[in-house]
Amino acid sequence: MAAATATMMMLQQPFLQQCPSLAAFPHSPSSISLSSSSSRFSVKFIVHSCCQTSPSPMNVVNGNVDLKPAERSEIRLGLPSKGRMASDTLDLLKDCQLSVKQANPRQYVAQIPQISNLEVWFQRPSDIVRKLLSGDLDLGIVGFDTLSEYGQGSEDLVIVHNALDYGECRLSIAIPKYGIFENVNSVKELAEMPQWTSDKPLRVATGFTYLGPKFMKDNGLEHVAFSTADGALEAAPAMGIADAILDLVSSGTTLKENNLKEIEGGVVLQSQAVLVASKKSLYNRKGVLDTTHEILERFEAHLRAEGQFTVVANMRGSSAEEVAERILSQSSLSGLQGPTISPVFCKKDGRASADYYAICICVPKKALYTSVKQLRAIGGSGVLISPLTYIFDEETPRWCELLNKLGL
């Protein structure tokens, strides 16, 4: 027992050195509990201070302090901290009237004033996925490729919005255009090459150590060796350290400039930014479901309105029905659900009369000029055009899908 007490006191000293403010408080052997095994000691200190009404437990394992954090009440949204994905995410939030307010650009925590009790945490995309899984984040925005690589199909991750319309790329296999690969144009042909054996496998450089092996196995490539690398993978075949690469591709220009080519069947997945949530948080943390609903509705309304224009014009007609018949006879003037038509009153012979009707329709940008020409051809005049900011549905379809996934 004396030896055990001496051991406890030895472990206690580094703890007090790390926490000098606790040294002023009395400690006695009765305040310390010890459990031992053949390989480690676990010591729990219970410190009583005049400012506490109850003990505050602190665990020290092998000299390391383990403080258990209190249950948080804030809702946490993880956003990418650097790069194009980070700036595009902030732009999307701003366009949805959800501007992120950061007191100091060096800080990793910020606020969105429009949503109460919401904290924004800037993290690496891979860490966003990990912290969603651990429960340290409730919501996050990452690329689908990152979610697939680090989420590894976990059922605790729920995709709330799968197409935020930025960060588009694909995860794809690329091989050299020359040498033994000159006539190889598909994954099937790559798998059938006699060069690959257990002694001399196909060497693939990639940063995707989960998706890469899974894809190769699913496509019949048995003899494959992976080397992990980040950035400038296109140089690996030319340097002789890899036969192929598995990397993200946007336009494919960099591959071509390095004499590499994509092959048929070699796309592992298509990716873009997605909004993802922790299923446990949606079920258990107060306010997360409501906050998710609001963010989703804002995203959906903004994205649906992108590239849409409101067209307003006056048109002479005998009745609203007659004007509607003329408008609906033109293929590009039907709008979202049909034209809105209302009478335009003017004073004639001392009386209010409606010889004109105002029509209002929504038109996509690519059909805008064609729609204006058709509108004028059937009698439209005074055409006004303005871009749309939001289109709110009665209920966003993705919200209904989310509730179905959750069984709510």
Side-chain angles (χ1 to χ4, degrees):
M1 183 62 190
T5 303
T7 303
M8 289 187 286
M9 298 309 294
M10 289 173 63
L11 291 172
Q12 183 180 3
Q13 291 306 313
F15 172 75
L16 293 178
Q17 290 171 4
Q18 293 179 37
C19 307
S21 61
L22 298 177
F25 297 105
H27 297 77
S28 68
S30 63
S31 300
I32 305 170
S33 62
L34 170 68
S35 63
S36 65
S37 67
S38 60
S39 60
R40 72 182 214 170
F41 289 93
S42 176
V43 183
K44 176 176 286 186
F45 292 90
I46 300 179
V47 181
H48 300 271
S49 80
C50 60
C51 301
Q52 292 177 307
T53 58
S54 60
S56 175
M58 297 182 184
N59 292 321
V60 179
V61 178
N62 293 335
N64 297 318
V65 180
D66 177 24
L67 300 180
K68 292 185 178 180
E71 181 71 16
R72 60 182 171 86
S73 60
E74 300 83 8
I75 299 167
R76 291 177 178 173
L77 168 66
L79 300 183
S81 56
K82 294 180 181 178
R84 180 68 179 273
M85 180 73 79
S87 59
D88 287 350
T89 299
L90 292 177
D91 288 343
L92 171 64
L93 289 166
K94 184 178 179 181
D95 290 339
C96 296
Q97 304 299 311
L98 293 174
S99 294
V100 176
K101 301 299 181 185
Q102 198 173 8
N104 185 332
R106 293 181 180 272
Q107 290 180 338
Y108 286 93
V109 64
Q111 308 291 329
I112 296 179
Q114 288 80 4
I115 301 181
S116 61
N117 203 39
L118 178 67
E119 289 183 346
V120 172
W121 286 81
F122 293 101
Q123 302 283 299
R124 293 184 303 178
S126 57
D127 287 340
I128 290 175
V129 179
R130 292 189 183 104
K131 290 175 181 178
L132 284 166
L133 288 168
S134 68
D136 295 308
L137 292 174
D138 306 305
L139 297 162
I141 294 178
V142 294
F144 181 65
D145 59 292
T146 303
L147 176 65
S148 301
E149 172 68 16
Y150 295 95
Q152 300 186 4
S154 171
E155 293 183 356
D156 193 42
L157 297 177
V158 181
I159 296 178
V160 179
H161 198 300
N162 63 345
L164 295 179
D165 283 358
Y166 65 92
E168 290 93 345
C169 60
R170 59 189 176 274
L171 180 60
S172 184
I173 297 171
I175 59 176
K177 296 178 179 179
Y178 49 85
I180 61 173
F181 299 101
E182 185 174 0
N183 296 316
V184 176
N185 297 299
S186 69
V187 171
K188 184 175 183 294
E189 293 173 353
L190 181 65
E192 292 173 349
M193 291 178 69
Q195 284 86 348
W196 318 131
T197 66
S198 57
D199 295 328
K200 192 179 184 300
L202 173 70
R203 298 169 301 159
V204 180
T206 186
F208 292 85
T209 57
Y210 170 74
L211 293 175
K214 183 177 184 298
F215 179 81
M216 294 296 187
K217 181 179 179 181
D218 293 344
N219 284 272
L221 282 144
E222 297 180 4
H223 305 300
V224 183
F226 289 88
S227 59
T228 57
D230 293 316
L233 292 183
E234 294 84 1
M239 294 178 69
I241 60 177
D243 302 304
I245 66 172
L246 177 64
D247 201 11
L248 295 175
V249 180
S250 295
S251 64
T253 301
T254 305
L255 292 179
K256 293 176 183 177
E257 290 175 347
N258 286 274
N259 292 315
L260 299 175
K261 63 182 179 181
E262 294 180 87
I263 55 179
E264 182 184 345
V267 176
V268 177
L269 57 78
Q270 297 285 347
S271 180
Q272 63 177 301
V274 298
L275 173 64
V276 62
S278 161
K279 184 183 288 187
K280 291 179 182 176
S281 292
L282 291 171
Y283 279 131
N284 302 323
R285 192 173 296 284
K286 182 180 179 182
V288 172
L289 197 61
D290 290 339
T291 297
T292 302
H293 188 199
E294 179 173 350
I295 294 174
L296 178 60
E297 281 212 306
R298 287 175 181 260
F299 282 0
E300 283 278 76
H302 168 69
L303 293 171
R304 191 176 179 203
E306 273 195 333
Q308 295 282 342
F309 288 80
T310 300
V311 178
V312 179
N314 288 339
M315 185 177 295
R316 189 185 292 275
S318 58
S319 67
E321 289 77 11
E322 185 266 329
V323 171
E325 288 289 344
R326 273 189 282 161
I327 294 172
L328 293 173
S329 69
Q330 306 298 314
S331 59
S332 66
L333 299 181
S334 58
L336 294 177
Q337 295 174 320
T340 300
I341 302 172
S342 55
V344 176
F345 292 95
C346 59
K347 200 167 186 178
K348 186 177 181 181
D349 298 330
R351 297 175 56 190
S353 65
D355 294 332
Y356 283 87
Y357 290 85
I359 66 112
C360 179
I361 56 174
C362 292
V363 175
K365 183 178 182 179
K366 62 183 180 181
L368 184 58
Y369 186 62
T370 299
S371 300
V372 172
K373 287 199 300 182
Q374 289 183 354
L375 192 56
R376 289 187 297 188
I378 59 174
S381 62
V383 181
L384 304 177
I385 298 172
S386 58
L388 278 169
T389 306
Y390 306 104
I391 299 176
F392 284 95
D393 286 319
E394 183 177 355
E395 185 59 86
T396 170
R398 282 187 172 90
W399 174 247
C400 299
E401 291 173 9
L402 177 61
L403 294 181
N404 286 334
K405 288 179 185 177
L406 298 175
L408 299 176

